[in-house]
Amino acid sequence: MVKLAIETELDRAAAFAREAERIAVLTGAGVSAESGVPTFRDAGGLWEGYAIEDVATPAAFARDPRLVWRFYNLRRDNLRSVRPNAGHFALAELENRCAHFALVTQNVDGLHRQAGSRTIHELHGNLTRTRCTGCERIEDRGLEPLDDVPHCTHCGALLRPDIVWFNEMLPAGIWESAETAVAECDVLLVVGTSAIVHPAAGLIHTAKQFGGRVIECNLEPTAASSLADVVLLGKSGELLPRLVNKLG
Ligand code: BV8
Ligand code: ZN
């Protein structure tokens, strides 16, 4: 029986993961696509309706907080009917089987934690949290409906989403610990990211620089594919469970 190429690639990926003492994972919007969360750059993606500079930069928020909040409140509302998919659960299972594990995500949907992942570095923030532009208070508001333009109940100042916008620094402590985990890993599993946004995408180079193996899981080749030791082409919701099952 001719082995499907994907089966061979899954075997190679499983061999690297089985040997690994330390595993790091980097995820992007693609890991949540099968949960019904729109990605950014695919057809029908979030950036189709909006321009990044109009809704995901500090200047955009200063210019039109109502438009920015409409973009984020829409995504918060969408999240209420969204659940983790088999890919999220497979990554939570992988963590259970690996002594040293870190999951670094660009996603702001909180689905990895819902699926049971524990060691999570959220590089770009989270849709459930607001941050006050006055007193800097950060509050977890879950997915409750917020005002069109919400204000702080403590100091009255304008609230913003606790999200890292373009041209903003990533949260210092979180970036450092993510970078360290990737530098120390034996295997970096890169799932569902176009590898366009920095510095997150730079973590793939970091893994290679420090001698780690890179396994990529994506629907299609990306900017990172040339760096990958194994490229698993297909849906993460299908391929990740098969990869984890091969670990025995
Ligand atoms: C910073 C919050 C320092 C918003 C986000 C030129 C070159 C290089 C860099 C730059 C440059 N010009 C500017 C920069 C820096 C800039 C940047 O990287 N720009 C890019 C666009 C070139 N970066 C920044 O500004 C960062 N900060 O640099 O600080 C600094 C400080 C001060 C002054 C100057 C500099 C901040 C970046 C953070 C921005 N915020 N998110 C929000 O979410 O609302 S980034 C945004 O893109 C999301 O977080 C998202 O996660 C991220 C990356 O996108 P992906 O997750 O990869 O999603 P995408 O849709 O692109 O791809 C989906 C993939 O999934 C596809 O490959 C698809 O094939 C695959 N897929 C789909 N379905 C499936 C699947 N795979 C598997 N299974 C499936 N079923
Ligand atoms: Zn305040």
Side-chain angles (χ1 to χ4, degrees), residues 64-76:
D64 190 349
R66 183 176 296 276
L67 173 66
V68 172
W69 268 113
R70 190 176 320 138
F71 176 61
Y72 284 97
N73 275 328
L74 178 76
R75 291 167 67 189
R76 286 168 51 87

Side-chain angles (χ1 to χ4, degrees), residues 133-171:
T133 60
C135 65
E136 295 292 308
R137 253 186 188 79
I138 290 180
E139 293 190 322
D140 187 330
R141 308 290 296 271
L143 293 175
E144 64 173 288
L146 300 178
D147 291 347
D148 290 355
V149 184
H151 285 77
C152 178
T153 52
H154 302 274
C155 76
L158 189 55
L159 294 182
R160 60 168 281 173
D162 189 28
I163 293 269
V164 179
W165 284 327
F166 287 94
N167 296 328
E168 288 191 313
M169 299 301 280
L170 273 60

Side-chain angles (χ1 to χ4, degrees), residues 12-231:
R12 290 184 60 231
F16 287 138
R18 219 177 281 122
E19 288 156 24
E21 276 279 302
R22 296 171 172 275
I23 295 183
V25 179
L26 172 66
T27 63
V31 79
S32 297
E34 292 159 81
S35 296
V37 180
T39 59
F40 291 86
R41 296 169 182 87
D42 292 316
L46 282 168
W47 296 143
E48 248 173 31
Y50 297 86
I52 287 180
E53 55 278 356
D54 290 341
V55 289
T57 63
F61 188 65
R63 185 170 57 245
D64 190 349
R66 183 176 296 276
L67 173 66
V68 172
W69 268 113
R70 190 176 320 138
F71 176 61
Y72 284 97
N73 275 328
L74 178 76
R75 291 167 67 189
R76 286 168 51 87
D77 295 348
N78 288 345
L79 272 191
R80 280 187 215 122
S81 58
V82 158
R83 294 287 170 271
N85 65 63
H88 294 105
F89 290 114
L91 293 174
E93 177 54 27
L94 182 60
E95 180 168 12
N96 294 336
R97 302 188 189 195
C98 184
H100 301 277
F101 182 91
L103 187 143
V104 179
T105 188
Q106 301 171 84
N107 299 343
V108 295
D109 57 30
L111 290 177
H112 285 303
R113 193 163 306 282
Q114 271 189 54
S117 289
R118 296 185 305 280
T119 311
I120 305 173
H121 305 280
E122 290 183 324
L123 298 181
H124 297 160
N126 191 303
L127 283 170
T128 58
R129 293 193 303 267
T130 58
R131 187 185 336 144
C132 178
T133 60
C135 65
E136 295 292 308
R137 253 186 188 79
I138 290 180
E139 293 190 322
D140 187 330
R141 308 290 296 271
L143 293 175
E144 64 173 288
L146 300 178
D147 291 347
D148 290 355
V149 184
H151 285 77
C152 178
T153 52
H154 302 274
C155 76
L158 189 55
L159 294 182
R160 60 168 281 173
D162 189 28
I163 293 269
V164 179
W165 284 327
F166 287 94
N167 296 328
E168 288 191 313
M169 299 301 280
L170 273 60
I174 295 175
W175 171 250
E176 268 61 38
S177 51
E179 199 174 30
T180 304
V182 170
E184 292 173 349
C185 78
D186 304 309
V187 164
L188 175 66
L189 176 59
V190 183
V191 185
T193 182
S194 56
I196 291 169
V197 172
H198 287 265
L203 291 172
I204 303 162
H205 298 262
T206 302
K208 293 300 284 184
Q209 196 183 338
F210 285 82
R213 296 275 192 187
V214 172
I215 300 168
E216 181 181 35
C217 174
N218 200 304
L219 278 183
E220 59 195 16
T222 69
S225 301
S226 57
L227 284 171
D229 296 275
V230 184
V231 178

